[in-house]
Amino acid sequence: MTHNTVRRLRIGYVPGHAEGNAYVQRTQEALAELGQVYPLSPSTKSLWRLLKFRPGFFDVIIVNWLEYKIANPATGRLSWAGVLAYFLQILSFRIFCRRLIYLRHNTYPHHAGSRSANTLTRIIDLSERLYSITATHSGHFADKHYLPHPLYQEYPMTAKGNHFIVFGRVMPYKNIEQLISHFPVDEQLIVAGPCDDQPYFRKLQAVAEGRKVEFIPRFLSEEEAQCLVGTARGLILSHADNDMIVSGSFFYALSLGTPVIAVRTPFFNWVQDELDLQGLTLVGEIESIGTALKQQLHLPAEVILRSAKQYFSLVTVTACWDALFAQLQLQDSA
């Protein structure tokens, strides 16, 4: 497939306009090198908007996080109405494209309750049969196509402070209370990000009493986030449950040349075993966080970013999408 042919591909992308979501912006930037990107809404109520396109108009539609609706956001339980809407939307997308790609970010929705997790996982597994292919951002899945997660704005910050940071939405599944409980009392920890669960936030405050823990419970501007994460001695990922496949915070930290300390997950085990990535320290359990901080290698920010660019640069991401499109035999339809 020639470069000119690829540029004429019509690529639908869900969610189309995710305001403030740098991942969506970077991925669409990569896809724009391969064709024209059409933003599509993930809302079932917006299906009628597809009618302005003829059946088969898109060479490919790529969907992300569409399965979130199968769990009730208020209770975390299975929503049969959501399941119906989910499958209806998949079938609708199939009518308007030649190939449908599912990019699976989670085993099951984050907001799902533990009692519903297995059922929700089986429903999503079943739905994969309706897609042309399922891809993920981790190479540890033998039955799914690997696509690298893009880095964000690549800006290595060389001046590091004394703090460690947890960055992103504050939610119970991230096990932040356990991290605080086992965090060395002489080290500074910043927990930055909004928390919609106020009882949980009060619990975190109680656990943090008497420790060097600072909370910034709100959305941060890009400048604030870049400064806090970029100048940290390390970004900490304490979540090790099986719902999440990869963490966007991990790639954000690498983009700034900030080292990462993470509890082992299948993704991080794969990174450690298969990639020669600098700046990643893994712990078997959160109780070992103190030892990990002492054993952490102090690498220059430029070294960490240069290492990450080998695997997650926008050039690499674009090339991998191009290879997947070739595998799916997407050809010039003009």
Side-chain angles (χ1 to χ4, degrees), residues 1-230:
M1 188 160 52
T2 66
H3 188 63
N4 288 335
T5 297
V6 174
R7 282 193 175 276
R8 286 193 290 271
L9 288 177
R10 292 187 285 265
I11 305 169
Y13 192 87
V14 181
H17 300 290
E19 208 168 310
N21 189 324
Y23 167 82
V24 170
Q25 296 167 7
R26 292 291 277 177
T27 302
Q28 289 190 7
E29 186 178 341
L31 292 169
E33 292 294 317
L34 306 174
Q36 183 173 353
V37 179
Y38 294 78
L40 300 176
S41 172
S43 170
T44 314
K45 296 178 181 179
S46 301
L47 283 178
W48 61 271
R49 295 179 186 170
L50 284 173
L51 297 178
K52 67 181 180 181
F53 303 108
R54 68 178 185 273
F57 172 84
F58 298 99
D59 294 293
V60 61
I61 293 178
I62 302 160
V63 300
N64 304 262
W65 302 296
L66 198 63
E67 75 287 347
Y68 77 94
K69 62 189 66 178
I70 70 174
N72 187 308
T75 65
R77 297 175 182 174
L78 171 69
S79 167
W80 286 113
V83 171
L84 178 61
Y86 173 56
F87 279 92
L88 175 64
Q89 197 154 17
I90 296 174
L91 294 172
S92 299
F93 283 143
R94 283 199 66 93
I95 294 172
F96 290 92
C97 69
R98 296 166 53 212
R99 299 288 187 271
L100 184 62
I101 298 175
Y102 175 35
L103 194 46
R104 190 165 179 174
H105 296 264
N106 307 302
T107 308
Y108 55 86
H110 284 326
H111 61 279
S114 58
R115 293 183 179 180
S116 303
N118 289 337
T119 301
L120 293 168
T121 300
R122 287 195 294 268
I123 290 172
I124 298 171
D125 290 344
L126 177 64
S127 75
E128 289 187 1
R129 300 180 185 181
L130 298 176
Y131 294 94
S132 304
I133 197 168
T134 298
T136 73
H137 289 315
S138 178
H140 76 275
F141 290 99
D143 62 337
K144 294 174 177 56
H145 187 92
Y146 169 66
L147 285 169
H149 188 296
L151 292 173
Y152 297 96
Q153 297 300 325
E154 300 165 8
Y155 182 66
M157 300 186 68
T158 57
K160 301 298 182 184
N162 294 319
H163 68 277
F164 294 89
I165 190 166
V166 172
F167 173 66
R169 281 190 175 274
V170 177
M171 302 175 72
Y173 78 86
K174 295 185 178 181
N175 299 325
I176 299 173
E177 73 278 10
Q178 294 184 38
L179 170 63
I180 294 174
S181 296
H182 295 95
F183 202 76
V185 294
D186 58 337
E187 297 285 5
Q188 181 183 1
L189 177 66
I190 296 177
V191 180
C195 183
D196 297 327
D197 187 337
Q198 287 305 304
Y200 178 65
F201 183 65
R202 288 192 291 271
K203 178 181 178 180
L204 292 181
Q205 290 177 308
V207 174
E209 190 171 348
R211 296 175 177 270
K212 298 171 67 175
V213 178
E214 177 185 355
F215 294 98
I216 307 177
R218 56 179 173 80
F219 283 107
L220 304 181
S221 68
E222 178 58 33
E223 293 75 15
E224 289 176 309
Q226 189 176 83
C227 179
L228 284 172
V229 178

Side-chain angles (χ1 to χ4, degrees), residues 235-260:
L235 177 134
I236 299 178
L237 294 168
S238 51
H239 171 240
D241 293 340
N242 65 354
D243 59 328
M244 186 171 64
I245 294 174
V246 299
S247 168
S249 298
F250 170 66
F251 298 97
Y252 187 73
L254 294 180
S255 303
L256 298 172
T258 296
V260 175

Side-chain angles (χ1 to χ4, degrees), residues 1 5 9 59-60 98-99 101 132 321-333:
M1 188 160 52
T5 297
L9 288 177
D59 294 293
V60 61
R98 296 166 53 212
R99 299 288 187 271
I101 298 175
S132 304
W321 277 109
D322 194 10
L324 176 55
F325 290 166
Q327 179 182 323
L328 292 174
Q329 299 181 329
L330 296 176
Q331 298 173 353
D332 187 8
S333 59

